[in-house]
Short mmCIF file of all heavy atoms in Angstrom, two decimals:
data_model
loop_
_atom_site.label_atom_id
_atom_site.label_comp_id
_atom_site.label_asym_id
_atom_site.label_seq_id
_atom_site.Cartn_x
_atom_site.Cartn_y
_atom_site.Cartn_z
N ASP A 249 8.48 19.29 12.31
CA ASP A 249 7.86 20.45 11.69
C ASP A 249 8.04 20.45 10.18
O ASP A 249 7.85 21.48 9.56
CB ASP A 249 8.41 21.74 12.29
CG ASP A 249 9.91 21.81 12.13
OD1 ASP A 249 10.47 20.75 11.80
OD2 ASP A 249 10.49 22.89 12.30
N VAL A 250 8.40 19.34 9.58
CA VAL A 250 8.63 19.34 8.12
C VAL A 250 7.53 18.58 7.40
O VAL A 250 6.93 19.08 6.46
CB VAL A 250 10.01 18.73 7.79
CG1 VAL A 250 10.20 18.68 6.29
CG2 VAL A 250 11.10 19.55 8.44
N ASN A 251 7.23 17.38 7.86
CA ASN A 251 6.38 16.50 7.06
C ASN A 251 4.88 16.74 7.28
O ASN A 251 4.09 16.56 6.39
CB ASN A 251 6.70 15.04 7.38
CG ASN A 251 8.10 14.68 6.94
OD1 ASN A 251 8.57 15.20 5.96
ND2 ASN A 251 8.77 13.81 7.67
N ILE A 252 4.48 17.10 8.47
CA ILE A 252 3.05 17.17 8.79
C ILE A 252 2.31 18.22 7.96
O ILE A 252 1.29 17.94 7.38
CB ILE A 252 2.85 17.41 10.31
CG1 ILE A 252 3.37 16.19 11.07
CG2 ILE A 252 1.40 17.66 10.64
CD1 ILE A 252 3.36 16.34 12.55
N PRO A 253 2.83 19.46 7.84
CA PRO A 253 2.12 20.43 7.01
C PRO A 253 1.99 19.98 5.56
O PRO A 253 0.99 20.20 4.93
CB PRO A 253 2.99 21.69 7.12
CG PRO A 253 3.76 21.50 8.37
CD PRO A 253 3.98 20.04 8.48
N ALA A 254 3.07 19.33 5.01
CA ALA A 254 3.02 18.89 3.61
C ALA A 254 1.90 17.87 3.39
O ALA A 254 1.20 17.91 2.40
CB ALA A 254 4.37 18.32 3.21
N GLU A 255 1.73 16.95 4.36
CA GLU A 255 0.71 15.93 4.22
C GLU A 255 -0.70 16.52 4.29
O GLU A 255 -1.62 16.05 3.67
CB GLU A 255 0.88 14.86 5.28
CG GLU A 255 2.09 13.98 5.06
CD GLU A 255 2.30 12.99 6.18
OE1 GLU A 255 1.47 12.97 7.10
OE2 GLU A 255 3.29 12.26 6.12
N GLU A 256 -0.87 17.59 5.08
CA GLU A 256 -2.17 18.21 5.22
C GLU A 256 -2.55 18.99 3.96
O GLU A 256 -3.69 19.08 3.57
CB GLU A 256 -2.19 19.14 6.43
CG GLU A 256 -2.14 18.36 7.74
CD GLU A 256 -2.06 19.30 8.93
OE1 GLU A 256 -1.94 20.51 8.70
OE2 GLU A 256 -2.12 18.82 10.05
N GLU A 257 -1.56 19.60 3.29
CA GLU A 257 -1.84 20.49 2.19
C GLU A 257 -1.94 19.76 0.84
O GLU A 257 -2.67 20.18 -0.04
CB GLU A 257 -0.75 21.55 2.10
CG GLU A 257 -0.79 22.50 3.28
CD GLU A 257 0.37 23.47 3.27
OE1 GLU A 257 1.12 23.44 2.28
OE2 GLU A 257 0.51 24.22 4.22
N THR A 258 -1.18 18.69 0.66
CA THR A 258 -1.04 18.11 -0.67
C THR A 258 -2.31 17.53 -1.29
O THR A 258 -2.43 17.56 -2.51
CB THR A 258 0.03 17.02 -0.67
OG1 THR A 258 -0.18 16.17 0.44
CG2 THR A 258 1.40 17.62 -0.62
N PRO A 259 -3.32 17.01 -0.53
CA PRO A 259 -4.48 16.42 -1.22
C PRO A 259 -5.21 17.38 -2.13
O PRO A 259 -5.81 16.97 -3.11
CB PRO A 259 -5.36 15.96 -0.06
CG PRO A 259 -4.41 15.72 1.06
CD PRO A 259 -3.35 16.74 0.88
N ASP A 260 -5.21 18.70 -1.84
CA ASP A 260 -5.97 19.65 -2.64
C ASP A 260 -5.12 20.34 -3.69
O ASP A 260 -5.54 21.34 -4.27
CB ASP A 260 -6.58 20.71 -1.71
CG ASP A 260 -7.53 20.07 -0.70
OD1 ASP A 260 -8.13 19.05 -1.05
OD2 ASP A 260 -7.64 20.60 0.41
N ILE A 261 -3.91 19.86 -3.96
CA ILE A 261 -2.99 20.56 -4.86
C ILE A 261 -2.78 19.72 -6.11
O ILE A 261 -2.92 18.49 -6.11
CB ILE A 261 -1.66 20.84 -4.14
CG1 ILE A 261 -1.95 21.65 -2.88
CG2 ILE A 261 -0.71 21.64 -5.02
CD1 ILE A 261 -0.75 21.91 -2.02
N ASP A 262 -2.44 20.40 -7.20
CA ASP A 262 -2.34 19.72 -8.48
C ASP A 262 -1.08 18.87 -8.58
O ASP A 262 -0.30 18.75 -7.64
CB ASP A 262 -2.39 20.74 -9.63
CG ASP A 262 -1.25 21.72 -9.54
OD1 ASP A 262 -0.43 21.54 -8.63
OD2 ASP A 262 -1.16 22.63 -10.37
N LEU A 263 -0.86 18.31 -9.76
CA LEU A 263 0.19 17.31 -9.98
C LEU A 263 1.59 17.86 -9.79
O LEU A 263 2.47 17.18 -9.33
CB LEU A 263 0.03 16.73 -11.39
CG LEU A 263 0.89 15.52 -11.73
CD1 LEU A 263 0.57 14.36 -10.81
CD2 LEU A 263 0.69 15.11 -13.18
N LYS A 264 1.82 19.15 -10.14
CA LYS A 264 3.15 19.74 -10.03
C LYS A 264 3.64 19.71 -8.59
O LYS A 264 4.74 19.31 -8.31
CB LYS A 264 3.15 21.18 -10.54
CG LYS A 264 3.34 21.31 -12.04
CD LYS A 264 3.56 22.75 -12.42
CE LYS A 264 3.78 22.86 -13.91
NZ LYS A 264 3.98 24.25 -14.33
N VAL A 265 2.80 20.13 -7.67
CA VAL A 265 3.21 20.17 -6.27
C VAL A 265 3.40 18.77 -5.73
O VAL A 265 4.22 18.52 -4.86
CB VAL A 265 2.16 20.94 -5.44
CG1 VAL A 265 2.55 20.99 -3.97
CG2 VAL A 265 1.98 22.34 -5.99
N GLU A 266 2.65 17.80 -6.28
CA GLU A 266 2.79 16.43 -5.82
C GLU A 266 4.18 15.87 -6.17
O GLU A 266 4.76 15.12 -5.41
CB GLU A 266 1.70 15.57 -6.46
CG GLU A 266 1.41 14.30 -5.67
CD GLU A 266 0.10 13.71 -6.12
OE1 GLU A 266 -0.83 14.45 -6.48
OE2 GLU A 266 0.02 12.48 -6.15
N THR A 267 4.73 16.26 -7.33
CA THR A 267 6.07 15.80 -7.68
C THR A 267 7.10 16.41 -6.73
O THR A 267 8.06 15.78 -6.37
CB THR A 267 6.41 16.18 -9.13
OG1 THR A 267 6.26 17.59 -9.28
CG2 THR A 267 5.49 15.47 -10.10
N VAL A 268 6.89 17.67 -6.32
CA VAL A 268 7.79 18.30 -5.33
C VAL A 268 7.73 17.54 -4.03
O VAL A 268 8.73 17.25 -3.39
CB VAL A 268 7.40 19.79 -5.13
CG1 VAL A 268 8.24 20.38 -4.00
CG2 VAL A 268 7.63 20.57 -6.40
N LYS A 269 6.51 17.18 -3.66
CA LYS A 269 6.36 16.41 -2.42
C LYS A 269 7.07 15.06 -2.52
O LYS A 269 7.69 14.60 -1.59
CB LYS A 269 4.87 16.19 -2.15
CG LYS A 269 4.60 15.39 -0.89
CD LYS A 269 3.20 14.83 -0.91
CE LYS A 269 3.07 13.74 0.14
NZ LYS A 269 1.88 12.95 -0.02
N GLN A 270 7.02 14.43 -3.72
CA GLN A 270 7.68 13.15 -3.92
C GLN A 270 9.19 13.30 -3.73
O GLN A 270 9.82 12.46 -3.09
CB GLN A 270 7.36 12.65 -5.34
CG GLN A 270 7.87 11.25 -5.63
CD GLN A 270 7.12 10.22 -4.84
OE1 GLN A 270 5.96 10.42 -4.48
NE2 GLN A 270 7.76 9.10 -4.52
N GLU A 271 9.80 14.36 -4.28
CA GLU A 271 11.23 14.59 -4.11
C GLU A 271 11.56 14.79 -2.64
O GLU A 271 12.55 14.30 -2.14
CB GLU A 271 11.64 15.83 -4.91
CG GLU A 271 11.64 15.61 -6.42
CD GLU A 271 12.00 16.88 -7.16
OE1 GLU A 271 12.36 17.87 -6.49
OE2 GLU A 271 11.91 16.88 -8.39
N LYS A 272 10.70 15.53 -1.96
CA LYS A 272 10.94 15.79 -0.54
C LYS A 272 10.93 14.48 0.25
O LYS A 272 11.74 14.26 1.13
CB LYS A 272 9.84 16.72 -0.02
CG LYS A 272 10.30 17.65 1.06
CD LYS A 272 9.22 18.69 1.32
CE LYS A 272 9.73 19.72 2.27
NZ LYS A 272 8.71 20.75 2.57
#
Side-chain angles (χ1 to χ4, degrees):
D249 58 346
V250 177
N251 294 327
I252 294 175
E255 289 176 2
E256 290 176 354
E257 292 174 5
T258 47
D260 299 329
I261 303 175
D262 61 3
L263 190 61
K264 275 190 179 179
V265 180
E266 202 164 326
T267 56
V268 174
K269 180 198 165 194
Q270 186 69 27
E271 288 177 6
K272 212 170 187 181

